[in-house]
């Protein structure tokens, strides 16, 4: 099952074992973080230069758990929670 969430102006979707982030405009520097919403444990962190589409392999994500996604675009931080169904 695919869950979709709109975070600011970015479209994010979770597939079987990947998180996909599509950027509808060009940004010079982007940082993407995924944390456990329960413990704050960092699951994923990486920086990208002018990305248009980022596919993040997330095999360690567990069904029924809540996660926090943070996307930093310069001084702007977009965040939202999602869960695996």
């Amino acid at each position: 099952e695919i869950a979709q969430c709109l975070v600011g102006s970015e479209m994010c979707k979770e597939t079987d074992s990947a998180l996909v982030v599509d950027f509808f405009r060009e940004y010079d520097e982007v940082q993407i973080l995924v944390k456990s919403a329960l413990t704050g444990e960092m699951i994923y962190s990486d920086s990208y230069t002018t990305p248009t589409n980022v596919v993040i392999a997330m095999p360690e994500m567990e069904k029924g758990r809540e996660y926090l996604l943070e996307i930093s675009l310069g001084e702007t931080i977009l965040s939202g929670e999602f869960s695996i169904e």
Side-chain angles (χ1 to χ4, degrees), residues 54-83:
V54 177
V55 178
I56 304 166
M58 303 295 290
E60 62 275 3
M61 287 180 153
E62 296 179 32
K63 290 184 178 187
R65 298 247 174 146
E66 297 280 326
Y67 295 92
L68 175 66
L69 170 66
E70 290 184 7
I71 301 173
S72 299
L73 310 164
E75 295 182 17
T76 302
I77 298 176
L78 306 173
S79 66
E81 289 189 359
F82 67 96
S83 62

Side-chain angles (χ1 to χ4, degrees), residues 34-50:
V34 178
K35 301 177 187 177
S36 166
L38 180 63
T39 66
E41 174 190 2
M42 184 73 62
I43 305 296
Y44 177 85
S45 175
D46 207 350
S47 296
Y48 300 88
T49 304
T50 62

Side-chain angles (χ1 to χ4, degrees), residues 2-18:
I2 296 176
Q4 294 186 334
C5 61
L6 184 63
V7 180
S9 62
E10 315 312 324
M11 178 59 79
C12 307
K13 58 188 166 199
E14 172 268 318
T15 62
D16 290 335
S17 61

